[in-house]
Amino acid sequence: MYGGTARPEPLAETAPVPFERLNPYARSKWLGELLAREAAITDGLDVIVVRPAEVYGPGSAKGLGQALFAFKTGAMSAVPGPGKVLHSYVHVEDVARAAVHLAEHATPNAVYNVAGPTPIAAADVYALARRRLGWLSVRDARVTFPHRPRLRGRPLFHVPPAILRLYAHWELLRARRGWLAQKFGPNPLANPAGVHLLIHNHVVDAAKLLKTGFRLAWPDAEAGILATLDAYERSGWAPFYGSERASAVPSGSPSRLNRSASAS
């Protein structure tokens, strides 16, 4: 919602929303928020706006889950961008719990961020995936590198931002070409606004939410991501194959999974 920033400064609800730098998905969220606020003024409705950070959790086939699946299958062993930029994450369970909590405790017509307290760098997210999934799988024909590999003090296989930007522009052009759109789909796989967010910090401040008495079930994003990877593994990555097993896989108890994830 807030776009990327050069420095990892926490963004409160009062931070400006750079509409021109948002990707289409974020723009739709912002426009929907404006319509809800307009309804609050014209129709006298009590509207509460919830702005989640990057949402993750079992069952999701988009966002972070999509990146982890690409890593799992060996389709992506590189870290996009510099890898040091920080992003805030929030477990889907906490998003749902926050919405229910705010319906009962929020100030009418107010805006609330929903995010975990500790942002994570992209390189560290993939390090977690390496730790949980291992670095060699004959069954999946996947080869990745061990935990936090280094070459001259830097992580291996970082894709430079310039290449990511070129790829995003290529995708916009590719999606407009007849035979390429038919072969690879009419929707671009990347866009400049999405790349901008990927290579910039996006740290969200949820202090306002916590002041209402809300407490996160998954405050440790690293433990939550590891638990999510476990859930994907137990389901055979069903959300990505359209299997009916996806809806049957429980996320498990946060306290139990936090203990097992932290012990790894």
Side-chain angles (χ1 to χ4, degrees):
M1 180 64 75
Y2 302 107
T5 58
R7 296 181 179 179
E9 300 173 353
L11 298 166
E13 291 82 355
T14 54
V17 176
F19 184 80
E20 69 283 354
R21 288 198 281 108
L22 298 180
N23 60 43
Y25 175 77
R27 287 186 179 187
S28 70
K29 294 294 184 182
W30 173 239
L31 293 174
E33 181 178 319
L34 294 180
L35 288 175
R37 290 183 179 183
E38 181 180 348
I41 296 173
T42 59
D43 302 332
L45 299 177
D46 286 340
V47 173
I48 300 168
V49 176
V50 177
R51 294 178 178 173
E54 297 186 37
V55 182
Y56 71 93
S60 173
K62 300 295 183 180
L64 179 61
Q66 190 174 25
L68 294 173
F69 179 67
F71 181 88
K72 164 73 176 181
T73 58
M76 181 172 66
S77 7
V79 176
K84 294 182 179 180
V85 298
L86 298 175
H87 281 207
S88 293
Y89 295 91
V90 61
H91 196 284
V92 64
E93 181 179 336
D94 281 322
V95 176
R97 291 178 60 251
V100 174
H101 173 85
L102 289 173
E104 300 174 351
H105 300 93
T107 301
N109 305 320
V111 180
Y112 294 88
N113 290 334
V114 184
T118 306
I120 305 179
D124 291 330
V125 170
Y126 293 112
L128 289 173
R130 281 192 294 271
R131 185 196 311 173
R132 176 60 82 233
L133 301 176
W135 67 279
L136 174 64
S137 173
V138 176
R139 182 190 67 184
D140 298 324
R142 173 181 53 81
V143 178
T144 60
F145 283 86
H147 180 60
R148 295 181 72 89
R150 297 281 173 170
L151 178 63
R152 295 183 181 176
R154 297 180 61 82
L156 292 174
F157 298 116
H158 282 259
V159 181
I163 293 180
L164 293 174
R165 292 191 186 98
L166 287 173
Y167 174 68
H169 287 291
W170 155 252
E171 274 296 306
L172 292 180
L173 292 173
R174 191 273 307 162
R176 299 190 185 106
R177 295 294 184 268
W179 68 273
L180 285 173
Q182 292 177 4
K183 184 174 181 60
F184 298 102
N187 298 318
L189 300 177
N191 59 72
V195 168
H196 182 274
L197 180 62
L198 195 64
I199 62 179
H200 287 79
N201 298 283
H202 189 247
V203 180
V204 179
D205 182 5
K208 184 178 178 180
L209 169 65
L210 299 179
K211 288 180 179 178
T212 66
F214 181 76
R215 294 295 176 265
L216 294 160
W218 297 91
D220 185 346
E222 289 193 3
I225 292 172
L226 288 173
T228 297
L229 280 167
D230 287 342
Y232 284 139
E233 288 282 89
R234 289 197 303 271
S235 75
W237 297 80
F240 303 89
Y241 294 109
S243 169
E244 296 179 356
R245 291 179 297 167
S247 59
V249 178
S251 61
S253 166
S255 58
R256 175 175 61 81
L257 289 176
N258 268 322
R259 286 197 296 269
S260 63
S262 299
S264 64

